[in-house]
């Protein structure tokens, strides 16, 4: 079973979460959405068949625990947080998609990700 972790549930997340929840129901994927803001998390996932977790994603131990064992991480976090997420995805061998531009830091991870057969996809 594919495990998808979405980090962040801000205003722009609803369309993605709705789409992924629909596809997850069809395909049997496990979908976990995480955010530190419980109200935003509740508002943007209400009625969707997915798991939610309120947690401090800025905490590296928590973030590592969320990423480990996942198949893909979709980061809707602020761009400044993507590099930390990418490093942990690289550590655990997890694909990554972000909604942000390719920063110089992220670009520097390309060879390492490719060597592990991982896709790191940015905007």
């Amino acid at each position: 079973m594919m495990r998808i972790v979405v980090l962040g549930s801000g205003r722009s997340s609803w369309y993605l979460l709705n789409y992924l929840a629909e596809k997850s129901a069809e395909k049997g994927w496990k979908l976990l959405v995480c955010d530190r803001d419980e109200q935003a998390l509740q508002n943007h996932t209400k009625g969707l068949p997915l798991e939610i977790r309120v947690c401090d994603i800025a905490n590296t131990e928590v973030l590592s625990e969320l990423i480990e064992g996942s198949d893909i991480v979709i980061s809707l976090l602020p761009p400044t947080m993507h590099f930390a997420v990418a490093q942990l995805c690289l550590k655990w061998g997890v694909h990554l998609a972000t909604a942000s531009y390719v920063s110089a830091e992220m670009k520097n991870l390309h060879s390492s990700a490719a060597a592990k057969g991982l896709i790191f996809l940015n905007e």
Side-chain angles (χ1 to χ4, degrees):
M1 173 184 297
M2 180 180 283
R3 181 172 184 246
I4 302 169
V5 174
V6 177
L7 303 174
S9 64
R11 288 181 292 201
S12 65
S13 69
W14 188 86
Y15 295 101
L16 173 67
L17 297 178
N18 192 47
Y19 173 80
L20 287 175
E22 181 181 311
K23 289 298 179 188
S24 294
E26 275 178 31
K27 308 262 186 201
W29 300 337
K30 182 176 179 183
L31 180 58
L32 171 64
V33 182
C34 309
D35 201 301
R36 66 180 177 167
D37 183 342
E38 184 174 7
Q39 190 63 48
L41 193 54
Q42 294 289 340
N43 289 344
H44 295 115
T45 61
K46 190 174 186 173
L48 297 177
L50 46 76
E51 181 184 348
I52 61 171
R53 188 171 309 165
V54 178
C55 55
D56 180 8
I57 297 168
N59 180 317
T60 305
E61 289 179 24
V62 170
L63 187 58
S64 184
E65 185 181 295
L66 294 170
I67 293 171
E68 182 182 10
S70 299
D71 293 291
I72 185 168
V73 170
I74 300 171
S75 179
L76 301 177
L77 299 172
T80 57
M81 297 183 77
H82 292 314
F83 185 67
V85 172
Q87 288 178 307
L88 289 169
C89 284
L90 196 55
K91 175 182 177 180
W92 296 115
V94 176
H95 300 285
L96 172 66
T98 76
S100 295
Y101 57 89
V102 180
S103 68
E105 288 177 317
M106 292 294 283
K107 198 172 200 174
N108 288 336
L109 294 179
H110 175 74
S111 296
S112 299
K116 287 191 166 194
L118 298 174
I119 296 171
F120 281 15
L121 180 65
N122 297 272
E123 182 177 274

